[in-house]
Amino acid sequence: MYNGLGNEVDILEREISDNMQKNQVVIIEVRTYQSLPFKDILGKLKSSSNRHVFVDDCQAMLNNPNSQYDDLLPSCKELSATNYRIWIGHDLAQLNYFSPFVEQTHENSVTLSLNLRNTVDLVGILIKITEWLFERNKYCSFPTLQPGHFIHGPQTIVHVIEKQVGLNELGLTNNIINRELDKLCNIGVSGGFNVGVVDNITSTGIKKMVEDRASNNMIEYCDTTSCNSAEYPAVVVVYDIAGVVNSIYLQISRGRVYCAVIMYSTYSKTISKIPSVTNLIQELSTDDSVRIIRYD
């Protein structure tokens, strides 16, 4: 595990070396991308050969403007010149902007289109969102998403708060979150696993409210900077239009079976005045697996 503290690089390098001698599989969990020393870590692997290296969910790092992703590709290329095979996994639709890393690796890329994580209903919603993202970012080429099974789930509820919401006026938003959490916790839809509340702006008021409720260990708060690898049986998506607009794909995809979305705007414009967002809501409303609830 790497947290980016003190002399952890040296410790991590020793642990990699020791574990490679004893185990066929070595897993490194990275909890920060602020100063991830890819060059040092991957350089340590040169002492052995005939290995596979998997770097998974690296879009979390590419979305971080302070990350060291510039070291990732050169280090991987250098290591692949030996007897190593390097595999880098990332979800293009989770990127907040077009990354030069994606362009540089395009020729050697393989697209995995089948979605096995979410219900077929949620996959249908995610397909509509990727099409919407493509319209907003025509310079990006998002992979074609397809359902990998035919397991259905409950109807997705999208709560749309029409009026402009101040950062200190989140009463209605909190009430809707609480109603959704009450419903999920009372009917036991989580099956003993945590219900996720995924926020795209890290609202202090919402975070505190959720964490105060989380004492029963059934509820977990996270924001879009730290949820790329998270998954929950049910999620409550808190989606402020003033935040990262593209994050709605990442947020919804964290839910395997059930999802409730709360859309509101602390931006200077109300949702009805933002054509791209109203277009998305209109498109979702045509899906039988989605129910739109509006609040004036």
Side-chain angles (χ1 to χ4, degrees):
M1 183 182 298
Y2 177 75
N3 290 292
L5 303 175
N7 62 344
E8 278 192 321
V9 175
D10 295 333
I11 296 173
L12 184 59
E13 288 180 357
R14 288 197 299 271
E15 289 180 349
I16 292 174
S17 179
D18 293 342
N19 280 284
M20 286 176 62
Q21 297 176 19
K22 298 181 292 185
N23 303 293
Q24 293 296 317
V25 178
V26 179
I27 299 176
I28 303 172
E29 180 185 359
V30 178
R31 294 192 170 183
T32 178
Y33 299 98
Q34 295 294 335
S35 56
L36 183 59
F38 271 110
K39 187 174 182 180
D40 295 334
I41 294 175
L42 295 180
K44 189 67 177 179
L45 301 177
K46 294 179 183 177
S47 59
S48 58
S49 60
N50 296 320
R51 302 269 185 168
H52 290 268
V53 176
F54 296 86
V55 181
D56 191 25
D57 271 344
C58 74
Q59 68 274 3
M61 177 184 62
L62 299 183
N63 277 336
N64 188 331
N66 297 317
S67 71
Q68 305 299 313
Y69 78 85
D70 287 337
D71 286 341
L72 176 59
L73 188 57
S75 299
C76 287
K77 284 184 175 179
E78 185 177 347
L79 189 60
S80 65
T82 63
N83 290 327
Y84 274 85
R85 296 295 180 268
I86 313 297
W87 307 83
I88 301 173
H90 63 85
D91 189 334
L92 284 175
Q94 290 186 17
L95 293 175
N96 292 339
Y97 55 89
F98 183 69
S99 169
F101 177 89
V102 176
E103 184 178 26
Q104 294 177 49
T105 57
H106 179 72
E107 291 183 0
N108 295 323
S109 65
V110 177
T111 299
L112 304 177
S113 296
L114 293 182
N115 181 305
L116 298 171
R117 181 201 303 267
N118 314 98
T119 65
V120 66
D121 308 291
L122 287 176
V123 173
I125 294 170
L126 293 174
I127 289 173
K128 290 181 182 296
I129 292 175
T130 55
E131 292 171 349
W132 175 71
L133 289 174
F134 178 73
E135 288 299 316
R136 290 174 50 83
N137 305 277
K138 291 184 182 294
Y139 52 82
C140 291
S141 177
F142 295 112
T144 302
L145 191 62
Q146 299 176 353
H149 55 71
F150 297 97
I151 301 174
H152 289 272
Q155 191 177 45
T156 294
I157 309 298
V158 178
H159 302 271
V160 180
I161 300 177
E162 302 279 7
K163 66 178 182 179
Q164 182 183 353
V165 178
L167 288 174
N168 298 317
E169 301 172 345
L170 296 173
L172 178 56
T173 304
N174 285 342
N175 287 341
I176 299 172
I177 295 172
N178 274 316
R179 289 207 308 269
E180 288 290 342
L181 292 176
D182 287 341
K183 176 174 64 178
L184 293 170
C185 294
N186 290 340
I187 65 176
V189 71
S190 65
F193 295 93
N194 284 352
V195 172
V197 177
V198 187
D199 196 349
N200 75 330
I201 64 164
T202 317
S203 168
T204 303
I206 293 174
K207 180 179 181 181
K208 183 179 185 307
M209 184 273 292
V210 172
E211 290 180 342
D212 287 345
R213 286 198 52 152
S215 57
N216 59 6
N217 296 321
M218 290 184 63
I219 303 168
E220 183 174 305
Y221 175 92
C222 65
D223 60 36
T224 51
T225 64
S226 59
C227 73
N228 295 79
S229 298
E231 59 180 61
Y232 306 93
V235 294
V236 177
V237 169
V238 183
Y239 182 64
D240 184 354
I241 307 303
V244 179
V245 177
N246 292 3
S247 68
I248 191 169
Y249 172 93
L250 169 61
Q251 292 174 277
I252 291 178
S253 66
R254 299 307 89 196
R256 295 176 64 92
V257 178
Y258 176 77
C259 176
V261 181
I262 304 166
M263 287 188 179
Y264 66 101
S265 175
T266 59
Y267 184 53
S268 58
K269 296 181 180 179
T270 60
I271 287 179
S272 62
K273 300 296 184 181
I274 307 175
S276 61
V277 178
T278 56
N279 289 343
L280 174 61
I281 295 171
Q282 176 59 34
E283 187 62 30
L284 292 177
S285 69
T286 64
D287 194 318
D288 291 338
S289 66
V290 176
R291 179 188 174 197
I292 309 291
I293 302 177
R294 299 181 182 272
Y295 302 80
D296 295 327

